[in-house]
Amino acid sequence: MALTPLPDALATILERVPAAPDAEEVPLLSAHGRVAACDLHSPMAVPAGDNSAMDGYALRAADIPGELPVALRITAGSPPGALPKGSAARIFTGALLPDGADTVVMQEDAIERDGTVSILGCVTQGAHIRKRGADIAEQDLLLARGQRLTPQLIGVLASVGVRSVKVYRRLSVAVLSTGDELVDADAGRDTIEPWQIYNSNRAQLIAQIEALGYQAIDLGTLPDDPDLIGRALEPAARDADCLLTTGGVSVGEADYVRDQIEARGELAVWKLAIKPGKPLAFGAVAGMPVFGLPGNPVSAWATFLLVVKPWLAAAQGAQLQPPKRVAATARFAVERPGTREEYLRVVLTGSGGGLEAQLAGSQSSGVLTSVSRADGLAVVPIGSTVTPGEPIEVLLLESLQSLYTS
Ligand code: AMP
Ligand code: MG
């Protein structure tokens, strides 16, 4: 079977996204990161009335030049009343303009003495007024179906008195590790034998899933046993929206995950033309999507972000937002053209248009520490080499791992 380029694999995987989950109403204060299940239009204008943008004096521009008696004092939170003809109102930021006033003069441009204010210099009619509806007009679209609720959107909704929002039920993602060599450090084992290793994929994937606002279901670790693995694929179908497995998807003698997906369900994608991350299997068992991720920790990390994350976003009902890529100058070489698109862990220095990309350390798919140091993944297209000094595209990790991208 030929290697599948990432865009083709993504197209196949996204074609198989199920219908959006059920919607539920949640309090606004618990809605962070959730995906809106319907459009929301503003029930009111913001500001609700013309108000002062400054501490100063509200008046009629036509009364200037001249000295005006200060007839009113209006603070934010107090009713404004009406401004008698030929007078000014002392006014503070956020206070509603009194009826009749058309201009605010800031206090730095006025002198108040014995209840009378004199204005220094000329005034511009309409100055320093925040007009009703200047920020939000009544019925403006504030939240679109499929948008994720950011803290700033939550602030916007709070500003029009919204108390709760309709969002899609949170997806749950089951995680199953496979491998005879694996030991879970939190399973009461303080020491391991020299032929064993600690399971890092389980911890890493559960952290990723939770950081993205999904519910992680830990199915633990299984040995490389085809029957045990095969049976684990089926019950998982009952209580999760999808299953992620790690390990056992290569072509070694103890690699059973791919075979078990194929034997018990449908295999739609196998082997990607990317490095790291080639041995990825995607399919469905008993109607539940299964991602068989590679066992190598960097490959599991990368395929989760490049393949599983877009699927999860789409299945959660979110609008797709590709992660940010920036241009940088390569400060490393790739001498031999590859047959897979390569994602190199890089550290970025400089800023703006002057970014430089240096390798973040070992690029082995077993070395997680260089991932933890990296700022981005430099993308080397299939068949390309890289010469130091050349421009290169870098996928920013901050954006790739963000809750708000897919
Ligand atoms: P596999 O995909 O099963 O061939 O595994 C590839 C490599 O990743 C082997 O060196 C495994 O020991 C290692 N590996 C597999 N699963 C994990 C895991 N959960 N945590 C850390 N390393 C793993
Ligand atoms: Mg293995």
Side-chain angles (χ1 to χ4, degrees):
M1 200 160 164
L3 302 185
T4 311
L6 182 59
D8 297 357
L10 277 176
T12 304
I13 285 167
L14 291 174
E15 263 169 29
R16 287 166 168 74
V17 165
D22 297 336
E24 61 187 5
E25 191 89 15
V26 297
L28 186 65
L29 293 190
S30 314
H32 176 229
R34 304 293 297 271
V35 177
C38 55
D39 292 354
L40 195 153
H41 296 268
S42 182
M44 60 179 281
V46 176
D50 293 356
N51 71 82
S52 180
M54 293 283 175
D55 291 337
Y57 296 86
L59 42 76
R60 292 176 180 81
D63 289 339
I64 303 300
E67 292 197 337
L68 302 174
V70 179
L72 297 171
R73 186 172 184 281
I74 314 163
T75 54
S78 64
L83 186 68
K85 284 228 159 66
S87 70
R90 180 75 171 115
I91 198 163
F92 299 92
T93 306
L96 276 191
L97 239 58
D99 282 347
D102 58 19
T103 302
V104 170
V105 175
M106 53 195 224
Q107 63 191 22
E108 290 81 351
D109 295 337
I111 296 175
E112 185 179 342
R113 214 177 283 127
D114 302 329
T116 301
V117 65
S118 337
I119 306 303
L120 314 170
C122 38
V123 304
T124 313
Q125 189 179 3
H128 306 309
I129 294 173
R130 301 169 177 161
K131 297 297 280 180
R132 176 189 144 78
D135 181 1
I136 299 168
E138 230 166 287
Q139 292 308 316
D140 269 359
L141 179 67
L142 296 184
L143 183 68
R145 184 161 60 91
Q147 235 178 328
R148 276 214 198 248
L149 283 126
T150 59
Q152 51 274 38
L153 265 174
I154 287 176
V156 168
L157 298 179
S159 77
V160 297
V162 167
R163 248 176 294 166
S164 61
V165 282
K166 220 174 199 174
V167 296
Y168 290 120
R169 173 185 61 77
R170 233 184 249 286
L171 293 188
S172 57
V173 183
V175 177
L176 174 69
S177 310
T178 72
D180 285 341
E181 70 278 41
L182 300 178
V183 172
D184 289 312
D186 59 349
R189 291 287 301 270
D190 294 334
T191 56
I192 52 173
E193 305 296 344
W195 52 88
Q196 297 180 314
I197 61 167
Y198 284 119
N199 181 353
S200 63
N201 288 338
R202 167 176 167 258
Q204 186 265 121
L205 288 171
I206 289 175
Q208 298 251 37
I209 290 162
E210 289 180 348
L212 298 176
Y214 305 113
Q215 198 198 331
I217 298 172
D218 180 12
L219 298 183
T221 302
L222 285 181
D224 291 309
D225 176 310
D227 281 342
L228 286 179
I229 291 172
R231 274 186 274 142
L233 298 183
E234 303 206 3
R238 287 196 287 272
D239 33 35
D241 292 293
C242 71
L243 169 65
L244 313 185
T245 67
T246 63
V249 276
S250 307
V251 283
E253 282 182 8
D255 291 331
Y256 302 117
V257 171
R258 189 202 80 103
D259 294 352
Q260 287 300 316
I261 297 175
E262 205 166 28
R264 291 168 191 260
E266 178 225 7
L267 183 74
V269 176
W270 189 51
K271 280 197 172 176
L272 302 181
I274 60 172
K275 185 182 175 184
K278 178 171 80 172
L280 176 133
F282 169 77
V285 175
M288 187 175 60
V290 180
F291 292 87
L293 305 184
N296 268 312
V298 182
S299 310
W301 170 82
T303 47
F304 176 84
L305 290 168
L306 296 171
V307 180
V308 181
K309 192 183 171 212
W311 184 91
L312 284 172
Q316 183 65 84
Q319 295 160 1
L320 294 186
Q321 281 301 334
K324 273 209 184 98
R325 292 167 182 245
V326 295
T329 303
R331 289 291 169 231
F332 60 86
V334 174
E335 277 156 14
R336 263 176 298 157
T339 53
R340 293 183 271 161
E341 183 179 47
E342 200 166 347
Y343 291 86
L344 298 169
R345 289 148 252 176
V346 294
V347 171
L348 293 174
T349 51
S351 59
L355 288 176
E356 306 207 333
Q358 250 146 351
L359 293 183
S362 166
Q363 300 294 319
S364 156
S365 54
V367 174
L368 260 184
T369 50
S370 55
V371 181
S372 72
R373 273 195 297 272
D375 299 310
L377 293 174
V379 186
V380 184
I382 295 170
S384 297
T385 57
V386 178
T387 312
E390 223 171 57
I392 191 155
E393 194 174 70
V394 178
L395 201 44
L396 293 178
L397 286 201
E398 203 178 77
S399 180
L400 184 64
Q401 306 213 93
S402 164
L403 162 66
Y404 305 112
T405 63
S406 33

